[in-house]
Amino acid sequence: MKRNIAKKPLSIFSYLILAFWTFISIFPLYWMLTFSLKSNKEIFGENIMGLPKKWIWSNYHAALTTGSMAVYFINSFIVTGLTIVLTVMTSLMATYALTRLVWKGQKTINNIFMLGLTVPIHAAILPVFIILRNLHMTNSYQALIIPYTAFSLAMAIMICESFIEIIPLELEEAACIDGCGVYRIFFRIVLPLMKPAFSTIAIFTFLQAWNELMFAVIFISDSKYRTLSVGIQTLSGSYTTDWGPIGAALVIATFPTLFVYLFMSKKIQNSLIAGAVKG
């Protein structure tokens, strides 16, 4: 009885801390949503934190049309989508070659891939830009898709290795005895068992590619290929700025990330747990 009484204040304190932390986490989203529906007058003076006195939905229309956010959203979707597909497929095939096949230099190549985890993506801006410029690939989707995929491979291969280790080698040996070749074993046996890794790699790659700014600013100067992260910056005027459409653009850019978190967070947790269990 005494233990229960002692635990009660502690549990109340814990709930208060969690409630405070929840408020801190949710408040920026609330502020961004209300910010996107206000005029400059409300944002900078009369009503900074409260709900809009007049809900200005035209801010979203202005962001999508005048601000070209619709075009930038499609560009981000194309770049991120193709980056995810390339990263998933290349990392799965590379992991199978590095872990299951035996060939000279296998460990060395694997170590080189893992070194990619120690190199920040922005530390390679200059050499990557020179390569893309010499190949005449700047101002194109490839200028972002190829570097994003290359810098995502190290993390993706590390994740795949944790999954492929729990697949029994006896399955592949049995398939080999039945006459299956390397490619058939990979696509018919290994690949279906690696499905939990798909979502894990896809989410990490999405977060990296969707929110990346530096490469998108330097490698893309043509507005036809701009992504959302760069496009939002163009909404700021030289002398005066209408901040409502900028808030609307931020909401548009943030929504896919929230969607991924709300509907796929449990899947990525389950896949990470599955990849951590061996035997």
Side-chain angles (χ1 to χ4, degrees), residues 100 166-178 185 189:
R100 289 297 205 242
I166 65 175
I167 298 175
L169 189 59
E170 290 77 10
L171 289 175
E172 298 169 52
E173 292 173 348
C176 185
I177 292 171
D178 290 337
I185 291 173
I189 296 174

Side-chain angles (χ1 to χ4, degrees), residues 140-154:
S140 65
Y141 292 132
Q142 299 95 301
L144 298 179
I145 294 170
I146 294 174
Y148 289 170
T149 303
F151 280 96
S152 299
L153 276 178

Side-chain angles (χ1 to χ4, degrees), residues 86-276:
L86 286 174
T87 302
V88 169
M89 292 307 300
T90 53
S91 62
L92 287 171
M93 290 188 286
T95 303
Y96 185 73
L98 291 169
T99 56
R100 289 297 205 242
L101 304 182
V102 179
W103 45 282
K104 190 175 181 180
Q106 177 184 8
K107 290 184 178 180
T108 304
I109 298 297
N110 189 33
N111 291 335
I112 291 173
F113 272 114
M114 291 303 103
L115 280 175
L117 294 170
T118 66
V119 180
I121 185 173
H122 299 126
I125 288 177
L126 182 59
V128 172
F129 175 75
I130 293 172
I131 292 170
L132 292 174
R133 185 190 59 188
N134 292 339
L135 293 174
H136 305 287
M137 291 177 62
T138 54
N139 284 321
S140 65
Y141 292 132
Q142 299 95 301
L144 298 179
I145 294 170
I146 294 174
Y148 289 170
T149 303
F151 280 96
S152 299
L153 276 178
M155 175 66 74
I157 289 173
M158 187 181 71
I159 293 171
C160 286
E161 284 180 350
S162 65
F163 280 92
I164 204 168
E165 285 177 359
I166 65 175
I167 298 175
L169 189 59
E170 290 77 10
L171 289 175
E172 298 169 52
E173 292 173 348
C176 185
I177 292 171
D178 290 337
C180 291
V182 174
Y183 294 103
R184 194 172 180 185
I185 291 173
F186 175 75
F187 286 106
R188 299 293 294 272
I189 296 174
V190 176
L191 200 61
L193 295 174
M194 293 283 287
K195 283 182 180 178
F198 293 0
S199 57
T200 307
I201 297 170
I203 291 171
F204 280 117
T205 306
F206 170 83
L207 293 175
Q208 177 180 315
W210 186 267
N211 298 315
E212 204 281 325
L213 176 63
M214 195 65 69
F215 277 15
V217 169
I218 295 173
F219 300 160
I220 304 293
S221 57
D222 191 342
S223 60
K224 186 169 66 173
Y225 298 106
R226 279 180 187 155
T227 56
L228 268 175
S229 55
V230 181
I232 292 172
Q233 292 183 327
T234 63
L235 294 176
S236 179
S238 300
Y239 302 102
T240 60
T241 301
D242 192 0
W243 290 97
I246 292 180
L250 289 171
V251 173
I252 294 169
T254 306
F255 176 77
T257 305
L258 291 175
F259 178 84
V260 168
Y261 175 77
L262 290 174
F263 293 96
M264 299 190 72
S265 60
K266 194 165 221 177
K267 186 173 286 189
I268 188 172
Q269 288 173 13
N270 293 337
S271 61
L272 286 173
I273 293 170

Side-chain angles (χ1 to χ4, degrees), residues 36-81:
S36 68
L37 296 167
K38 293 178 181 178
S39 62
N40 281 3
K41 190 176 181 181
E42 280 193 82
I43 293 170
F44 292 105
E46 295 180 356
N47 185 21
I48 300 174
M49 299 294 183
L51 293 171
K53 293 179 180 178
K54 182 181 178 182
W55 298 67
I56 307 176
W57 294 100
S58 58
N59 287 339
Y60 285 87
H61 182 267
L64 290 170
T65 55
T66 307
S68 302
M69 284 299 109
V71 175
Y72 302 150
F73 185 91
I74 293 171
N75 289 339
S76 290
F77 183 81
I78 292 171
V79 169
T80 306

